[in-house]
Amino acid sequence: MRRQSNRLETASGGTGSFLTRGAVVGSFLAVALLACSVSASADEQTEHFFESYVRPILVERCISCHGQARQEGGLRLDSKSAMSTGGDSGPAVVPQSADSLILHAVRRVGDLAMPPDQPLAAEQVEILEEWVGMGAPWPSHSPTLPNSTNANPTDHWAFQPVANPAIPTLAASVQTQNPIDAFILSRLVEQDIVPATEADRRTLIRRLSYTLTGLPPSHEEVERFVHDQSDESYGKLVDRYLASQQYGEHWARHWLDVARYSDTKGYVYAREERFWVHAWRYRDWVTQSLNEDMPYDRFLLLQLAADQTKDKRHEDLAAMGFLTIGRRFLGVNRDIMDDRIDVVTRGMLGLTVGCARCHDHKYDPIPTADYYSLFGVFNSCSESLVRLDREPRDAAFEAELDKRLSALAKRLKSSREESAGRARSRIRDYLYAQTELQKYPPNGFDQVFEES
């Protein structure tokens, strides 16, 4: 089991999330209460082992022949009970038994050789051996493996509706200041973990300042908080940081990462402007939304469809930058649409659906049909730059802007007419050249569009 322990200890992962003010404060309190010695329980480790290593093998290599739709040899391998019942040859898995039929099959011992087309890799066989040796643990939240991407999404834990759980009841000796404490402390009590001691006030204000604003507190702020021992001092400090401009600037960076924010389009042709002229408008809108404590559902709605939202403010149109400031992929439309689908689904749904561009998703209920439904929505939209500031500009500025726009339009018209005239005047040369292509260098045909 040494190899298994190493695998369990080194496997880790994480996701980013957008936090409203309440969630930020809650997460800060949670960190302050957690003990430094917290570690995953044995049950959590074995569940992680199954989800990370065993489940992919069963879904990718076994379920197509031994699932709900098809049972070769009368055997199903999509649930623990089905494995224990077995098929025509008996139980497929006997916990902690090296003689389990599933192990004989993947080792390709005797007449048993599974999967029949291509053997499992040596490490995959070792994973199944370790899993059986652990007692073949199976997560209780997923009693049956999905047989296809059309599995009912309500059966997956991630798609369960948001619930309002009851606040845990703790012993009278356990002190809590809010419901968040009750949930955290109840789990610590279950694991026999002693909460960390309360931070001193200098440490507390530094943690709070860095968490909410990304900046250290000033010396005066620290001294004022240290000497203010009133019960309301901490709450007032939280409110002050949440009301600061720096709060929105700090936490907007997290969302802008989700929105793949950039001031430029990536590589473009020389004829196209490389910079997004409206990117800063979107950046400032995100910052202002956080500082206004905009509800999260409203925050998402405006970024998807501000132009279609009746009760929007005119400046809320800047929210559409969420969709329009992505890369341009040299103007390849299908890739631009794919980028927009990706940023919406990963950023707002927490799902990677890019695989569905080519095939139904293997592990999530996302068919290709859904991907191209979204593609159709985005592909039917058009873009336009909209002036957001309604205040009148300086008359001299407006006059100079009109002058430059007029000069640009005149120059573009002149260039188009000149290029078109040159091409028409040489049509005979172009057609004749098709009969003697060997005389022309393959990489020099663009020269025909230049002035002679």
Side-chain angles (χ1 to χ4, degrees):
M1 298 292 288
R2 182 178 182 85
R3 183 170 53 254
Q4 169 204 335
S5 300
N6 291 339
R7 185 178 286 116
L8 293 177
E9 291 169 1
T10 57
S12 64
T15 59
S17 62
F18 174 80
L19 301 178
T20 59
R21 295 186 179 186
V24 169
V25 178
S27 64
F28 176 80
L29 292 171
V31 173
L33 288 170
L34 286 178
C36 296
S37 60
V38 172
S39 60
S41 66
D43 290 342
E44 290 171 338
Q45 289 190 1
T46 54
E47 179 175 317
H48 178 81
F49 179 77
F50 178 87
E51 295 291 353
S52 299
Y53 302 103
V54 180
R55 178 192 287 269
I57 296 174
L58 296 177
V59 171
E60 292 179 13
R61 305 302 305 278
C62 306
I63 300 304
S64 60
C65 294
H66 301 286
Q68 181 180 7
R70 180 181 176 188
Q71 300 92 39
E72 290 289 340
L75 174 63
R76 291 182 63 169
L77 297 175
D78 55 353
S79 69
K80 186 172 183 178
S81 59
M83 288 186 176
S84 299
T85 302
D88 299 343
S89 301
V93 172
V94 177
Q96 298 182 326
S97 173
D99 291 328
S100 295
L101 285 176
I102 192 172
L103 298 183
H104 283 286
V106 297
R107 292 171 185 151
R108 311 181 86 78
V109 176
D111 295 335
L112 286 175
M114 296 292 166
D117 50 352
Q118 182 179 1
L120 296 182
E123 177 157 350
Q124 292 177 312
V125 173
E126 291 179 5
I127 288 171
L128 293 179
E129 290 173 343
E130 291 179 11
W131 177 62
V132 173
M134 295 163 61
W138 195 289
S140 58
H141 63 74
S142 181
T144 304
L145 296 179
N147 290 277
S148 72
T149 58
N150 295 319
N152 188 351
T154 59
D155 294 337
H156 191 283
W157 67 268
F159 301 107
Q160 301 304 314
V162 176
N164 186 20
I167 299 174
T169 302
L170 302 173
S173 59
V174 180
Q175 298 296 319
T176 62
Q177 297 183 7
N178 56 62
I180 297 175
D181 291 352
F183 284 98
I184 296 172
L185 291 174
S186 66
R187 290 299 304 272
L188 295 181
V189 170
E190 288 178 13
Q191 304 300 325
D192 294 326
I193 297 173
V194 179
T197 58
E198 184 174 342
D200 64 84
R201 295 181 76 79
R202 291 184 184 276
T203 301
L204 192 58
I205 187 175
R206 285 181 63 82
R207 289 178 179 174
L208 188 63
S209 181
Y210 275 115
T211 299
L212 297 185
T213 70
L215 301 170
S218 67
H219 174 73
E220 292 76 14
E221 288 177 321
V222 174
E223 292 303 315
R224 186 163 52 248
F225 181 67
V226 168
H227 292 95
D228 184 357
Q229 298 295 324
S230 64
D231 294 337
E232 299 82 16
S233 60
Y234 181 77
K236 290 180 179 178
L237 185 63
V238 171
D239 289 339
R240 184 156 58 84
Y241 282 143
L242 289 176
S244 68
Q245 177 69 18
Q246 289 73 28
Y247 165 76
E249 293 170 351
H250 175 56
W251 282 97
R253 292 193 61 211
H254 296 278
W255 183 256
L256 293 176
D257 285 343
V258 172
R260 70 336 186 195
Y261 176 84
S262 175
D263 292 326
T264 62
K265 304 176 183 179
Y267 180 76
V268 296
Y269 291 116
R271 67 176 182 271
E272 185 176 354
E273 170 60 55
R274 187 167 62 92
F275 292 92
W276 290 118
V277 296
H278 64 292
W280 66 275
R281 290 279 194 182
Y282 174 66
R283 177 201 64 200
D284 290 355
W285 181 88
V286 173
T287 300
Q288 188 61 30
S289 297
L290 285 164
N291 283 330
E292 292 175 351
D293 205 15
M294 180 181 289
Y296 185 53
D297 56 347
R298 179 74 175 178
F299 180 80
L300 298 185
L301 172 65
L302 291 174
Q303 290 179 87
L304 289 175
D307 58 327
Q308 302 295 317
T309 304
K310 293 182 178 180
D311 58 343
K312 66 178 180 299
R313 301 168 301 184
H314 184 67
E315 57 268 26
D316 286 333
L317 290 173
M320 299 297 291
F322 179 78
L323 297 174
T324 59
I325 61 173
R327 288 176 58 196
R328 285 294 153 152
F329 304 96
L330 295 178
V332 180
N333 185 66
R334 60 180 178 274
D335 290 334
I336 297 172
M337 298 302 108
D338 180 73
D339 176 69
R340 293 181 181 176
I341 293 171
D342 182 66
V343 74
V344 169
T345 53
R346 279 200 301 143
M348 297 184 175
L349 302 178
L351 293 170
T352 55
V353 307
C355 302
R357 184 177 182 179
C358 300
H359 55 75
D360 289 348
H361 205 290
K362 287 186 176 181
Y363 305 117
D364 292 320
I366 304 167
T368 305
D370 283 358
Y371 176 93
Y372 283 99
S373 295
L374 277 176
F375 189 100
V377 171
F378 289 123
N379 198 46
S380 63
C381 298
S382 59
E383 296 180 45
S384 62
L385 285 174
V386 178
R387 179 173 171 176
L388 295 182
D389 55 325
R390 291 180 168 177
E391 298 179 2
R393 292 171 174 170
D394 179 81
F397 175 87
E398 292 286 1
E400 180 66 21
L401 178 62
D402 291 341
K403 177 182 176 182
R404 296 191 181 195
L405 289 175
S406 176
L408 175 62
K410 184 177 180 180
R411 176 63 184 274
L412 288 175
K413 180 181 179 182
S414 174
S415 297
R416 282 194 294 266
E417 291 175 351
E418 178 185 349
S419 178
R422 189 165 56 249
R424 292 191 187 96
S425 68
R426 302 191 63 186
I427 288 178
R428 184 184 64 177
D429 297 335
Y430 300 153
L431 293 177
Y432 189 74
Q434 302 304 310
T435 65
E436 48 184 18
L437 292 176
Q438 70 279 3
K439 294 183 179 181
Y440 302 95
N443 296 326
F445 249 71
D446 56 332
Q447 296 175 5
V448 299
F449 294 102
E450 298 180 357
E451 294 183 28
S452 57

